[in-house]
């Protein structure tokens, strides 16, 4: 089967897989991450021998295994968001607002977002450290940035990392 044919077939099964993932979790973002990981696993497996004979069953099994594994352990958020003491009262207020916004994010988003923005970690390093696929890291960081922009009413042209200590 050609690459384009495989991609079309997987994309036709994606909605069904997403409905099933939503039965495993009530969180739409987590369901999307699970489906993305299952599709990636199967895509990589499709080029190997022996061939997959029942693609839908194989996808459902991959999704179930992903859903049943224990969640990754995320480290606690650091005590201070901005290294060093803020210089002005405005900086302290901004740091407190960012901290509150980060607390409002799901832990798996805030930990990864801090790793990228404050720690300077690469997506690949975070994926290995948290034992999750790089695509999941990228989507969680992206959703975290978007949520912070919305919560803090941050303009699109201002990087979120500017609020997290990088100057």
């Amino acid at each position: 089967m050609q690459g384009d044919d495989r991609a079309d077939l997987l994309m036709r099964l994606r909605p069904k897989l997403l409905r099933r993932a939503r039965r495993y979790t009530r969180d739409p973002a987590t369901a999307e991450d699970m489906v993305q990981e299952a599709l990636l696993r199967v895509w990589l497996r499709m080029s190997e021998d022996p061939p997959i004979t029942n693609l839908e069953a194989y996808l459902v099994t991959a999704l179930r295994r992903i859903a049943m594994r224990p969640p990754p352990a995320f480290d606690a958020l650091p005590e201070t968001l901005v290294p060093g003491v803020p210089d002005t009262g405005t900086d302290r207020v901004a740091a407190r607002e960012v901290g509150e916004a980060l607390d409002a994010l799901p832990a798996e988003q805030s930990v990864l977002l801090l790793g990228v923005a404050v720690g300077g970690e690469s997506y690949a390093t975070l994926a290995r450290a948290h034992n999750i696929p790089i695509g999941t890291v990228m989507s969680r960081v992206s959703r975290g940035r978007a949520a912070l922009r919305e919560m803090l009413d941050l303009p699109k042209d201002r990087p979120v990392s500017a609020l997290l200590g990088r100057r």
Side-chain angles (χ1 to χ4, degrees), residues 112-121 126 141 145 160-162 164-166:
L112 295 174
L113 184 58
L114 284 170
V116 170
V118 176
E121 299 292 334
L126 289 169
V141 168
R145 283 181 176 143
V160 171
S161 61
L164 298 174
R166 289 241 172 128

Side-chain angles (χ1 to χ4, degrees), residues 115-116 119-128 134 137:
V116 170
E121 299 292 334
S122 70
Y123 292 137
T125 301
L126 289 169
R128 282 190 303 275
I134 193 168
V137 171

Side-chain angles (χ1 to χ4, degrees), residues 7 16 64 82 86 94 96 106 124 129 153 160:
K16 190 173 193 176
R64 186 178 64 247
V82 180
R96 187 177 67 239
D153 197 28
V160 171

Side-chain angles (χ1 to χ4, degrees), residues 3 7 19 26 38 43 52 64 69 72 89 94 99 120 126 134-135 137 142-143 151 156-158 160 164:
R19 284 191 299 275
R26 297 287 181 221
W43 173 263
I52 299 170
R64 186 178 64 247
R69 74 174 177 219
L126 289 169
I134 193 168
V137 171
S142 177
R143 284 195 304 271
M151 284 188 268
K156 294 260 187 219
D157 62 340
R158 177 124 187 250
V160 171
L164 298 174

Side-chain angles (χ1 to χ4, degrees), residues 45-116:
R45 169 62 181 80
M46 287 174 81
S47 61
E48 298 175 5
D49 282 329
I52 299 170
T53 56
N54 186 340
L55 185 59
E56 186 173 344
Y58 202 92
L59 274 168
V60 169
T61 300
L63 181 67
R64 186 178 64 247
R65 287 183 178 161
I66 291 165
M68 296 305 151
R69 74 174 177 219
F74 290 98
D75 298 330
L77 293 176
E79 289 296 317
T80 57
L81 295 173
V82 180
V85 178
D87 298 330
T88 67
T90 304
D91 287 342
R92 284 191 294 275
V93 170
R96 187 177 67 239
E97 288 176 1
V98 171
E100 290 169 358
L102 281 167
D103 286 343
L105 291 176
E108 61 269 8
Q109 287 179 11
S110 60
V111 168
L112 295 174
L113 184 58
L114 284 170
V116 170

